[in-house]
Amino acid sequence: MEKAVDAFADASQTDGEGTDEEKAKKAADATREAMKDLRDAVRDEHDMHRAKSIAGFRNFNDAEESSFDKKAHLKTLREAHDEYEARNVKLLDEFEEKCTKTAAERDEHIDWLAGKLEESQRAHKKAIIKSAKVMCKAAFGEEEQADEKVLEILKTFLSPYVPEQMQNAVFMKVGAASPLPRKKNWARPIN
């Protein structure tokens, strides 16, 4: 979408000769055409993103081939896409209104739109990731918890290399994925 906003900025910029009235008409026509192109580009991006993400969710298979049902998760995904598209259309409507009211502040309006679209993309990405995590948990169940001994060993040896804010999350994740047995007496000496 960033390229579409840049293309709008380039296409709507007019320099020309003539009276102020002619320049204003050319600028309004150029902005109108650039706005149509921007809306088409955003709509195309929505369609491509929707198709790719739904295809990814449809191709998802759990390893156990259980009776996992993807329909509810696909419905949630489609709803997230609908919200994202509606939010972006509303932003484009606001942007168009701002551009028509105060054409002199066009660059500020373009920066505003770019920021809002980026914010919308981040929120949508979080929603999709959350849906994917929920689907994975439904298919595979909850992750195993790390053994206390494994956590203690990880903290002892990895603390100098992992930033303090991330240590707990990293150690829990690595500990849960550890191939070590999860018995209380796993550290007993071998005879």
Side-chain angles (χ1 to χ4, degrees):
M1 278 206 243
E2 199 172 299
K3 289 179 183 178
V5 173
D6 291 341
F8 173 84
D10 293 340
S12 66
Q13 190 171 7
T14 58
D15 293 327
E17 296 179 9
T19 64
D20 288 339
E21 191 175 300
E22 290 172 348
K23 286 181 184 179
K25 184 174 178 357
K26 285 181 184 178
D29 290 343
T31 300
R32 193 176 308 109
E33 284 300 314
M35 193 67 199
K36 287 178 186 175
D37 292 341
L38 177 62
R39 284 183 184 278
D40 289 342
V42 169
R43 195 175 307 113
D44 291 345
E45 188 272 338
H46 287 161
D47 292 343
M48 287 182 354
H49 174 63
R50 179 184 285 263
K52 286 180 181 179
S53 60
I54 288 176
F57 270 58
R58 277 191 176 164
N59 291 334
F60 175 82
N61 288 320
D62 60 334
E64 299 169 4
E65 297 295 328
S66 65
S67 61
F68 175 69
D69 185 21
K70 296 183 244 184
K71 290 180 184 177
H73 302 287
L74 286 169
K75 181 181 178 189
T76 303
L77 178 66
R78 287 185 182 103
E79 289 171 356
H81 282 298
D82 290 341
E83 290 172 12
Y84 174 60
E85 291 169 9
R87 191 170 44 244
N88 286 346
V89 167
K90 183 179 176 187
L91 286 172
L92 289 174
D93 290 342
E94 287 180 42
F95 174 69
E96 187 173 16
E97 185 178 319
K98 285 182 178 195
C99 284
T100 55
K101 284 184 178 179
T102 54
E105 300 170 355
R106 186 182 65 83
D107 291 338
E108 292 174 18
H109 298 319
I110 291 172
D111 292 341
W112 174 83
L113 178 66
K116 290 294 186 177
L117 287 175
E118 187 176 320
E119 186 179 303
S120 177
Q121 285 176 322
R122 277 195 308 271
H124 180 63
K125 181 179 178 181
K126 286 180 183 179
I128 298 300
I129 290 171
K130 183 178 177 183
S131 296
K133 286 181 179 180
V134 168
M135 187 168 77
C136 288
K137 283 184 180 180
F140 301 118
E142 297 290 324
E143 290 182 357
E144 289 189 37
Q145 296 297 316
D147 185 72
E148 288 182 32
K149 287 278 191 185
V150 172
L151 286 176
E152 187 177 314
I153 292 169
L154 289 172
K155 285 178 185 175
T156 302
F157 292 104
L158 295 180
S159 290
Y161 306 106
V162 178
E164 191 174 325
Q165 313 85 294
M166 297 176 57
Q167 284 181 1
N168 194 32
V170 169
F171 296 155
M172 293 297 282
K173 194 72 161 174
V174 171
S178 172
L180 295 173
R182 290 182 171 39
K183 297 178 185 173
K184 290 188 177 188
N185 61 353
W186 67 270
R188 63 185 162 90
I190 300 175
N191 294 335

PDB file of all heavy atoms in Angstrom, residues 146-156 171 174-182 186:
ATOM      1  N   ALA A 146       7.621 -26.209  30.487  1.00  0.00           N
ATOM      2  CA  ALA A 146       9.027 -26.563  30.704  1.00  0.00           C
ATOM      3  C   ALA A 146       9.225 -27.090  32.124  1.00  0.00           C
ATOM      4  O   ALA A 146       8.588 -26.638  33.071  1.00  0.00           O
ATOM      5  CB  ALA A 146       9.901 -25.346  30.477  1.00  0.00           C
ATOM      6  N   ASP A 147      10.119 -28.033  32.250  1.00  0.00           N
ATOM      7  CA  ASP A 147      10.493 -28.615  33.536  1.00  0.00           C
ATOM      8  C   ASP A 147      11.301 -27.574  34.316  1.00  0.00           C
ATOM      9  O   ASP A 147      12.072 -26.813  33.730  1.00  0.00           O
ATOM     10  CB  ASP A 147      11.312 -29.888  33.286  1.00  0.00           C
ATOM     11  CG  ASP A 147      11.626 -30.608  34.562  1.00  0.00           C
ATOM     12  OD1 ASP A 147      10.700 -31.205  35.147  1.00  0.00           O
ATOM     13  OD2 ASP A 147      12.801 -30.566  34.965  1.00  0.00           O
ATOM     14  N   GLU A 148      11.157 -27.542  35.631  1.00  0.00           N
ATOM     15  CA  GLU A 148      11.859 -26.553  36.450  1.00  0.00           C
ATOM     16  C   GLU A 148      13.370 -26.708  36.366  1.00  0.00           C
ATOM     17  O   GLU A 148      14.110 -25.723  36.363  1.00  0.00           O
ATOM     18  CB  GLU A 148      11.393 -26.650  37.904  1.00  0.00           C
ATOM     19  CG  GLU A 148       9.987 -26.119  38.098  1.00  0.00           C
ATOM     20  CD  GLU A 148       9.547 -26.179  39.541  1.00  0.00           C
ATOM     21  OE1 GLU A 148      10.404 -26.034  40.433  1.00  0.00           O
ATOM     22  OE2 GLU A 148       8.341 -26.358  39.758  1.00  0.00           O
ATOM     23  N   LYS A 149      13.848 -27.946  36.320  1.00  0.00           N
ATOM     24  CA  LYS A 149      15.291 -28.185  36.214  1.00  0.00           C
ATOM     25  C   LYS A 149      15.831 -27.651  34.888  1.00  0.00           C
ATOM     26  O   LYS A 149      16.900 -27.061  34.836  1.00  0.00           O
ATOM     27  CB  LYS A 149      15.608 -29.680  36.322  1.00  0.00           C
ATOM     28  CG  LYS A 149      15.475 -30.252  37.686  1.00  0.00           C
ATOM     29  CD  LYS A 149      16.738 -29.951  38.444  1.00  0.00           C
ATOM     30  CE  LYS A 149      16.737 -30.750  39.738  1.00  0.00           C
ATOM     31  NZ  LYS A 149      17.871 -30.415  40.558  1.00  0.00           N
ATOM     32  N   VAL A 150      15.076 -27.858  33.818  1.00  0.00           N
ATOM     33  CA  VAL A 150      15.495 -27.375  32.499  1.00  0.00           C
ATOM     34  C   VAL A 150      15.547 -25.854  32.520  1.00  0.00           C
ATOM     35  O   VAL A 150      16.494 -25.245  32.020  1.00  0.00           O
ATOM     36  CB  VAL A 150      14.532 -27.883  31.392  1.00  0.00           C
ATOM     37  CG1 VAL A 150      14.839 -27.233  30.065  1.00  0.00           C
ATOM     38  CG2 VAL A 150      14.607 -29.395  31.282  1.00  0.00           C
ATOM     39  N   LEU A 151      14.547 -25.216  33.116  1.00  0.00           N
ATOM     40  CA  LEU A 151      14.535 -23.762  33.210  1.00  0.00           C
ATOM     41  C   LEU A 151      15.731 -23.247  34.003  1.00  0.00           C
ATOM     42  O   LEU A 151      16.349 -22.245  33.634  1.00  0.00           O
ATOM     43  CB  LEU A 151      13.238 -23.274  33.859  1.00  0.00           C
ATOM     44  CG  LEU A 151      11.994 -23.351  33.001  1.00  0.00           C
ATOM     45  CD1 LEU A 151      10.772 -22.939  33.810  1.00  0.00           C
ATOM     46  CD2 LEU A 151      12.134 -22.465  31.781  1.00  0.00           C
ATOM     47  N   GLU A 152      16.053 -23.948  35.084  1.00  0.00           N
ATOM     48  CA  GLU A 152      17.184 -23.553  35.909  1.00  0.00           C
ATOM     49  C   GLU A 152      18.492 -23.635  35.115  1.00  0.00           C
ATOM     50  O   GLU A 152      19.327 -22.727  35.166  1.00  0.00           O
ATOM     51  CB  GLU A 152      17.252 -24.467  37.140  1.00  0.00           C
ATOM     52  CG  GLU A 152      18.276 -24.059  38.156  1.00  0.00           C
ATOM     53  CD  GLU A 152      18.232 -24.970  39.372  1.00  0.00           C
ATOM     54  OE1 GLU A 152      17.128 -25.251  39.866  1.00  0.00           O
ATOM     55  OE2 GLU A 152      19.322 -25.394  39.791  1.00  0.00           O
ATOM     56  N   ILE A 153      18.665 -24.703  34.358  1.00  0.00           N
ATOM     57  CA  ILE A 153      19.874 -24.865  33.539  1.00  0.00           C
ATOM     58  C   ILE A 153      19.936 -23.780  32.465  1.00  0.00           C
ATOM     59  O   ILE A 153      20.980 -23.178  32.229  1.00  0.00           O
ATOM     60  CB  ILE A 153      19.911 -26.277  32.908  1.00  0.00           C
ATOM     61  CG1 ILE A 153      20.122 -27.320  34.005  1.00  0.00           C
ATOM     62  CG2 ILE A 153      20.987 -26.377  31.846  1.00  0.00           C
ATOM     63  CD1 ILE A 153      19.925 -28.746  33.552  1.00  0.00           C
ATOM     64  N   LEU A 154      18.817 -23.533  31.814  1.00  0.00           N
ATOM     65  CA  LEU A 154      18.779 -22.499  30.779  1.00  0.00           C
ATOM     66  C   LEU A 154      19.125 -21.132  31.358  1.00  0.00           C
ATOM     67  O   LEU A 154      19.886 -20.368  30.761  1.00  0.00           O
ATOM     68  CB  LEU A 154      17.407 -22.464  30.108  1.00  0.00           C
ATOM     69  CG  LEU A 154      17.066 -23.642  29.202  1.00  0.00           C
ATOM     70  CD1 LEU A 154      15.613 -23.567  28.781  1.00  0.00           C
ATOM     71  CD2 LEU A 154      17.983 -23.680  28.003  1.00  0.00           C
ATOM     72  N   LYS A 155      18.563 -20.821  32.510  1.00  0.00           N
ATOM     73  CA  LYS A 155      18.838 -19.526  33.133  1.00  0.00           C
ATOM     74  C   LYS A 155      20.320 -19.406  33.492  1.00  0.00           C
ATOM     75  O   LYS A 155      20.924 -18.351  33.313  1.00  0.00           O
ATOM     76  CB  LYS A 155      17.976 -19.335  34.378  1.00  0.00           C
ATOM     77  CG  LYS A 155      16.545 -19.015  34.062  1.00  0.00           C
ATOM     78  CD  LYS A 155      15.718 -18.878  35.321  1.00  0.00           C
ATOM     79  CE  LYS A 155      14.252 -18.674  34.948  1.00  0.00           C
ATOM     80  NZ  LYS A 155      13.398 -18.648  36.144  1.00  0.00           N
ATOM     81  N   THR A 156      20.897 -20.479  33.974  1.00  0.00           N
ATOM     82  CA  THR A 156      22.299 -20.460  34.378  1.00  0.00           C
ATOM     83  C   THR A 156      23.217 -20.184  33.195  1.00  0.00           C
ATOM     84  O   THR A 156      24.124 -19.347  33.278  1.00  0.00           O
ATOM     85  CB  THR A 156      22.692 -21.808  35.024  1.00  0.00           C
ATOM     86  OG1 THR A 156      21.839 -22.037  36.138  1.00  0.00           O
ATOM     87  CG2 THR A 156      24.139 -21.790  35.478  1.00  0.00           C
ATOM     88  N   PHE A 171      13.173 -18.618  27.765  1.00  0.00           N
ATOM     89  CA  PHE A 171      13.477 -19.829  28.520  1.00  0.00           C
ATOM     90  C   PHE A 171      12.276 -20.768  28.583  1.00  0.00           C
ATOM     91  O   PHE A 171      12.417 -21.986  28.490  1.00  0.00           O
ATOM     92  CB  PHE A 171      13.965 -19.488  29.932  1.00  0.00           C
ATOM     93  CG  PHE A 171      15.264 -18.719  29.950  1.00  0.00           C
ATOM     94  CD1 PHE A 171      15.596 -17.914  31.013  1.00  0.00           C
ATOM     95  CD2 PHE A 171      16.158 -18.801  28.888  1.00  0.00           C
ATOM     96  CE1 PHE A 171      16.783 -17.206  31.033  1.00  0.00           C
ATOM     97  CE2 PHE A 171      17.360 -18.100  28.905  1.00  0.00           C
ATOM     98  CZ  PHE A 171      17.670 -17.299  29.978  1.00  0.00           C
ATOM     99  N   VAL A 174      12.008 -22.336  24.949  1.00  0.00           N
ATOM    100  CA  VAL A 174      13.088 -23.295  24.698  1.00  0.00           C
ATOM    101  C   VAL A 174      12.940 -24.501  25.624  1.00  0.00           C
ATOM    102  O   VAL A 174      13.122 -25.644  25.204  1.00  0.00           O
ATOM    103  CB  VAL A 174      14.468 -22.629  24.877  1.00  0.00           C
ATOM    104  CG1 VAL A 174      15.591 -23.648  24.836  1.00  0.00           C
ATOM    105  CG2 VAL A 174      14.676 -21.569  23.808  1.00  0.00           C
ATOM    106  N   GLY A 175      12.596 -24.249  26.856  1.00  0.00           N
ATOM    107  CA  GLY A 175      12.418 -25.350  27.810  1.00  0.00           C
ATOM    108  C   GLY A 175      11.285 -26.282  27.418  1.00  0.00           C
ATOM    109  O   GLY A 175      11.374 -27.497  27.570  1.00  0.00           O
ATOM    110  N   ALA A 176      10.199 -25.732  26.893  1.00  0.00           N
ATOM    111  CA  ALA A 176       9.064 -26.551  26.463  1.00  0.00           C
ATOM    112  C   ALA A 176       9.432 -27.380  25.241  1.00  0.00           C
ATOM    113  O   ALA A 176       8.934 -28.493  25.056  1.00  0.00           O
ATOM    114  CB  ALA A 176       7.859 -25.677  26.146  1.00  0.00           C
ATOM    115  N   ALA A 177      10.322 -26.858  24.403  1.00  0.00           N
ATOM    116  CA  ALA A 177      10.730 -27.578  23.193  1.00  0.00           C
ATOM    117  C   ALA A 177      11.906 -28.514  23.448  1.00  0.00           C
ATOM    118  O   ALA A 177      12.309 -29.251  22.554  1.00  0.00           O
ATOM    119  CB  ALA A 177      11.098 -26.579  22.107  1.00  0.00           C
ATOM    120  N   SER A 178      12.441 -28.491  24.641  1.00  0.00           N
ATOM    121  CA  SER A 178      13.606 -29.305  24.975  1.00  0.00           C
ATOM    122  C   SER A 178      13.290 -30.794  24.849  1.00  0.00           C
ATOM    123  O   SER A 178      12.248 -31.265  25.306  1.00  0.00           O
ATOM    124  CB  SER A 178      14.049 -28.992  26.403  1.00  0.00           C
ATOM    125  OG  SER A 178      15.038 -29.893  26.809  1.00  0.00           O
ATOM    126  N   PRO A 179      14.209 -31.567  24.277  1.00  0.00           N
ATOM    127  CA  PRO A 179      13.979 -33.012  24.145  1.00  0.00           C
ATOM    128  C   PRO A 179      14.245 -33.787  25.428  1.00  0.00           C
ATOM    129  O   PRO A 179      14.068 -35.002  25.467  1.00  0.00           O
ATOM    130  CB  PRO A 179      14.973 -33.416  23.054  1.00  0.00           C
ATOM    131  CG  PRO A 179      16.085 -32.439  23.195  1.00  0.00           C
ATOM    132  CD  PRO A 179      15.431 -31.151  23.619  1.00  0.00           C
ATOM    133  N   LEU A 180      14.661 -33.108  26.485  1.00  0.00           N
ATOM    134  CA  LEU A 180      14.942 -33.799  27.742  1.00  0.00           C
ATOM    135  C   LEU A 180      13.660 -34.381  28.326  1.00  0.00           C
ATOM    136  O   LEU A 180      12.589 -33.800  28.197  1.00  0.00           O
ATOM    137  CB  LEU A 180      15.561 -32.834  28.748  1.00  0.00           C
ATOM    138  CG  LEU A 180      16.928 -32.280  28.368  1.00  0.00           C
ATOM    139  CD1 LEU A 180      17.340 -31.208  29.356  1.00  0.00           C
ATOM    140  CD2 LEU A 180      17.956 -33.384  28.333  1.00  0.00           C
ATOM    141  N   PRO A 181      13.763 -35.522  28.985  1.00  0.00           N
ATOM    142  CA  PRO A 181      12.572 -36.116  29.607  1.00  0.00           C
ATOM    143  C   PRO A 181      11.988 -35.183  30.655  1.00  0.00           C
ATOM    144  O   PRO A 181      12.697 -34.401  31.259  1.00  0.00           O
ATOM    145  CB  PRO A 181      13.107 -37.392  30.257  1.00  0.00           C
ATOM    146  CG  PRO A 181      14.502 -37.559  29.814  1.00  0.00           C
ATOM    147  CD  PRO A 181      14.965 -36.303  29.190  1.00  0.00           C
ATOM    148  N   ARG A 182      10.716 -35.291  30.873  1.00  0.00           N
ATOM    149  CA  ARG A 182      10.037 -34.410  31.809  1.00  0.00           C
ATOM    150  C   ARG A 182       9.709 -35.132  33.121  1.00  0.00           C
ATOM    151  O   ARG A 182       8.673 -34.940  33.704  1.00  0.00           O
ATOM    152  CB  ARG A 182       8.779 -33.855  31.170  1.00  0.00           C
ATOM    153  CG  ARG A 182       9.181 -32.886  30.068  1.00  0.00           C
ATOM    154  CD  ARG A 182       8.097 -32.253  29.398  1.00  0.00           C
ATOM    155  NE  ARG A 182       8.391 -31.198  28.486  1.00  0.00           N
ATOM    156  CZ  ARG A 182       9.373 -31.089  27.625  1.00  0.00           C
ATOM    157  NH1 ARG A 182      10.295 -31.999  27.584  1.00  0.00           N
ATOM    158  NH2 ARG A 182       9.478 -30.081  26.801  1.00  0.00           N
ATOM    159  N   TRP A 186      15.170 -37.057  36.217  1.00  0.00           N
ATOM    160  CA  TRP A 186      15.918 -37.196  34.973  1.00  0.00           C
ATOM    161  C   TRP A 186      17.397 -36.877  35.139  1.00  0.00           C
ATOM    162  O   TRP A 186      18.217 -37.272  34.332  1.00  0.00           O
ATOM    163  CB  TRP A 186      15.301 -36.346  33.852  1.00  0.00           C
ATOM    164  CG  TRP A 186      15.409 -34.863  34.061  1.00  0.00           C
ATOM    165  CD1 TRP A 186      14.512 -34.075  34.686  1.00  0.00           C
ATOM    166  CD2 TRP A 186      16.457 -34.020  33.624  1.00  0.00           C
ATOM    167  NE1 TRP A 186      14.931 -32.779  34.684  1.00  0.00           N
ATOM    168  CE2 TRP A 186      16.122 -32.719  34.028  1.00  0.00           C
ATOM    169  CE3 TRP A 186      17.659 -34.217  32.964  1.00  0.00           C
ATOM    170  CZ2 TRP A 186      16.938 -31.634  33.792  1.00  0.00           C
ATOM    171  CZ3 TRP A 186      18.459 -33.118  32.712  1.00  0.00           C
ATOM    172  CH2 TRP A 186      18.105 -31.853  33.130  1.00  0.00           C
TER     173      TRP A 186
END
